[in-house]
Amino acid sequence: MFLDERIVTLFKRNAHHTLTYWSVFFSFGLCIAFLGPTILDLQCQTNSTLSQITWVFFAQQFCLLIGSSIGGIFKRTLFSALAALFVSALVISVIFAIIPLCNNVLLLAIAMAVSGFAMGIIDTIANIQLVTIYQRDSAVFLQALHFFIGFGALVSPLIADPFLSETGCGNHTGNETEVMHHFRNMLRNSPIAEHNINQSHLHHEGVEEESIVHYAFWIMALINLPVPIAVLFLMYREQLIPCCPSGTPRLLDKDELAMENQQGAEATDVDQKEHEAGGHGDIFSCCRNDNLRGLPVSFFMIHVLGGMVLFMTDGIVGAYAGFVYTYAVTPPLSLPHKTAGYLASIFWAAITAGRLLSIPLSYRFQPVRLLMFNLAGAIVIVLMLLIFYTSNTFLFVGTGLCGLFLSSIFPCMLAYTEDILDYQGCATSVLVTSAGMGEMVMQVLVGSIIQTKGSYSFPLCGMIIACIGFILFIGLLLFHRMHRNYLTGTSKKSAMVEEPATQSNGSAKTEEKEEKENS
């Protein structure tokens, strides 16, 4: 068979939980991708500038970081984990419904902050639970989990695209040439602000059209509603709804039982070591863990460098998805708004396809090989985008290829670092938090640079960030080798200590036997 029978059996044993965790990541994807293509409509809805609307990205990503950091506290019991997922998925639907009512940038930022907090909780809990359930076999299931982010992120721009205004502010004009002329003159200032000025100047020359983008948000709210219902159904099947009289089992105990049936004593030893080293809790409890004392520098550097690689790569994903639309409608590309709206869909479609492709690849190849290939490919594609920055055709091709290479870096890094650390420490919490921080920082940074330096800085920033990420990955490989040497030396010392003890126990038993025979 294409997949090992043992993995198929594992999935069947935990299918309901796994499918539920995958579905909540669909909510995550829906919420993370809609801002990019709708940014100009939201800018007009809130009467804000590009630099002001950029802080909406910051609010979402900052609260996503907070949610990711504290999300681990909800994994203590199955009830608390599923209750947190239910509330978070329901909050996302509510936020979609009220976004059209946010008529100033502050209200929109608050709404996005709440959704970001819910996304952070979903991100941490779903990753932790799958790693806890499947452990050494988690790479395949993590790829599938992150496929659903891509799927949700693909659906979101596709829903929004028919409702986007042609010019960004809901006015159709008959003088596109004049608009582009003003864009070119203001390239080093605020292209979007100049766009608004042009629209106000041409207000009496065109036909005014009311924005209908709010329909897109209401449709997304309805599409997302089955997700919290699915979580609630899982709680009902597990008899965890308060009206059902039942105990509240610890999630870790349930997962350990499943792993024992499939993997025997080896999995039990892994769980015990995980518990002793602090497990996969929230990042603050990881930092306070006394059992981490005495561990080598390589143990901590693997956490740090793995997190920094994802800080860069997820930062590229966030910045690209957020600003490729803005980049495309400004000179020298100057694409029509409707055409540029497809770029976000292509990007997330490529991420979705890449994560789907990575499911069988992660079973055939080691995560470190996939990471090396994807990071190198991302650098090459961003470099070509930088070289052919005037080509509309290559922008679409490069967007797809960029999404393809960036798609599986996060789940591969998660599986790679957890395997290096033998499922001790807090790799999952650290990596999820670092990835969220990267998206938050890079979106604000790249948006500010585009505002002040012009559109050419968009691919240039991507190139610099990708190169830094690759350098950090090389450092991670070096510390992996150091940590492996440390573990080898520790194992040899343990064997040397155990061997004399075994010999002395054997000698004592022999002497005791001789004494009994003599007596």
Side-chain angles (χ1 to χ4, degrees):
M1 292 183 64
F2 190 70
L3 288 177
D4 196 313
E5 281 286 350
R6 181 176 53 83
I7 292 181
V8 174
T9 305
L10 264 178
F11 172 72
K12 289 180 179 178
R13 189 176 294 272
N14 299 282
H16 197 170
H17 284 264
T18 305
L19 291 173
T20 302
Y21 300 144
W22 288 350
S23 71
V24 293
F25 255 45
F26 175 79
S27 290
F28 187 100
L30 271 181
C31 206
I32 204 170
F34 76 88
L35 272 180
T38 61
I39 186 171
L40 298 184
D41 286 89
L42 291 175
Q43 178 193 343
C44 297
Q45 175 183 305
T46 57
N47 295 315
S48 58
T49 64
L50 179 62
S51 38
Q52 289 174 336
I53 203 73
T54 299
W55 287 99
V56 174
F57 287 102
F58 177 84
Q60 184 188 50
Q61 294 300 326
F62 180 73
C63 289
L64 192 154
L65 173 63
I66 295 175
S68 299
S69 301
I70 69 172
I73 65 176
F74 295 106
K75 68 104 186 181
R76 301 300 180 186
T77 65
L78 183 58
F79 173 76
S80 62
L82 293 180
L85 290 178
F86 169 73
V87 172
S88 298
L90 187 61
V91 162
I92 287 175
S93 279
V94 173
I95 294 299
F96 276 133
I98 67 173
I99 282 176
L101 306 178
C102 300
N103 293 322
N104 65 69
V105 74
L106 180 59
L107 289 176
L108 182 61
I110 292 172
M112 295 312 302
V114 174
S115 70
F117 186 77
M119 291 162 62
I121 292 174
I122 288 173
D123 198 7
T124 298
I125 290 179
N127 278 290
I128 286 176
Q129 305 302 44
L130 280 187
V131 170
T132 305
I133 292 173
Y134 294 105
Q135 301 214 0
R136 294 188 183 279
D137 298 304
S138 61
V140 173
F141 300 98
L142 286 172
Q143 294 287 0
L145 179 73
H146 289 269
F147 160 79
F148 279 91
I149 289 185
F151 181 58
L154 166 65
V155 169
S156 187
L158 288 176
I159 294 172
D161 185 71
F163 302 99
L164 297 177
S165 58
E166 186 64 38
T167 59
C169 272
N171 298 327
H172 292 287
T173 71
N175 196 345
E176 292 292 327
T177 304
E178 185 178 349
V179 173
M180 291 302 106
H181 175 71
H182 283 289
F183 265 128
R184 292 185 177 93
N185 288 340
M186 298 297 293
L187 177 60
R188 291 193 174 275
N189 296 319
S190 171
I192 309 304
E194 180 63 17
H195 172 77
N196 293 335
I197 294 172
N198 292 332
Q199 297 305 311
S200 63
H201 285 173
L202 297 172
H203 176 74
H204 299 290
E205 298 179 21
V207 178
E208 185 175 353
E209 179 192 33
E210 185 180 355
S211 174
I212 57 172
V213 75
H214 54 276
Y215 290 118
F217 295 117
W218 291 340
I219 292 172
M220 284 187 275
L222 290 175
I223 289 176
N224 186 65
L225 271 182
V227 176
I229 294 173
V231 179
L232 193 63
F233 180 64
L234 178 59
M235 295 176 69
Y236 172 77
R237 283 201 55 183
E238 293 291 331
Q239 298 182 332
L240 296 175
I241 297 178
C243 62
C244 299
S246 63
T248 305
R250 287 183 60 85
L251 179 61
L252 188 59
D253 296 336
K254 181 180 184 301
D255 295 335
E256 282 176 351
L257 179 60
M259 294 305 296
E260 283 173 4
N261 291 335
Q262 295 301 316
Q263 296 179 329
E266 178 184 355
T268 306
D269 293 339
V270 170
D271 288 341
Q272 184 178 359
K273 285 189 285 185
E274 178 189 330
H275 178 73
E276 291 173 355
H280 299 87
D282 61 283
I283 194 168
F284 302 111
S285 63
C286 291
C287 297
R288 295 194 304 266
N289 195 342
D290 294 336
N291 292 320
L292 297 180
R293 292 177 182 174
L295 291 172
V297 174
S298 58
F299 180 88
F300 300 100
M301 289 304 298
I302 288 170
H303 282 84
V304 172
L305 290 173
M308 288 302 297
V309 172
L310 290 185
F311 181 93
M312 299 298 168
T313 56
D314 271 51
I316 295 175
V317 172
Y320 201 96
F323 293 105
V324 66
Y325 175 78
T326 305
Y327 170 68
V329 299
T330 56
L333 296 171
S334 303
L335 289 174
H337 287 250
K338 290 283 187 180
T339 305
Y342 290 112
L343 284 167
S345 298
I346 291 172
F347 182 69
W348 287 111
I351 287 181
T352 305
R355 285 172 175 167
L356 186 62
L357 181 64
S358 297
I359 294 172
L361 289 179
S362 62
Y363 180 71
R364 299 293 178 182
F365 299 99
Q366 294 179 343
V368 64
R369 295 181 181 274
L370 295 176
L371 281 169
M372 182 72 74
F373 177 76
N374 288 331
L375 285 168
I379 291 176
V380 171
I381 295 303
V382 176
L383 177 61
M384 294 180 70
L385 283 170
L386 191 61
I387 295 172
F388 301 107
Y389 72 99
T390 58
S391 171
N392 293 347
T393 303
F394 190 76
L395 176 62
F396 282 87
V397 175
T399 295
L401 292 174
C402 188
L404 200 63
F405 283 112
L406 291 170
S407 61
S408 61
I409 290 178
F410 182 92
C412 283
M413 181 63 73
L414 189 58
Y416 175 55
T417 52
E418 287 282 15
D419 191 50
I420 293 174
L421 301 173
D422 202 19
Y423 301 89
Q424 302 180 58
C426 301
T428 300
S429 295
V430 170
L431 295 184
V432 169
T433 303
S434 300
M437 188 181 296
E439 290 192 36
M440 174 186 71
V441 173
M442 293 304 174
Q443 282 181 339
V444 174
L445 180 63
V446 172
S448 301
I449 292 174
I450 293 174
Q451 175 82 14
T452 56
K453 301 297 181 182
S455 61
Y456 185 74
S457 59
F458 177 70
L460 182 61
C461 288
M463 183 65 192
I464 294 171
I465 296 168
C467 289
I468 294 174
F470 189 81
I471 293 170
L472 291 169
F473 178 68
I474 298 300
L476 177 62
L477 295 179
L478 296 176
F479 277 100
H480 177 199
R481 175 169 294 188
M482 291 174 56
H483 192 66
R484 186 170 53 196
N485 293 338
Y486 166 80
L487 293 177
T488 303
T490 304
S491 301
K492 289 181 179 179
K493 289 180 181 178
S494 300
M496 292 174 64
V497 171
E498 290 175 0
E499 186 176 350
T502 304
Q503 291 177 353
S504 62
N505 290 337
S507 300
K509 290 180 180 179
T510 303
E511 292 176 0
E512 183 178 351
K513 186 176 181 181
E514 290 176 354
E515 288 178 0
K516 288 181 179 179
E517 290 176 353
N518 293 334
S519 61

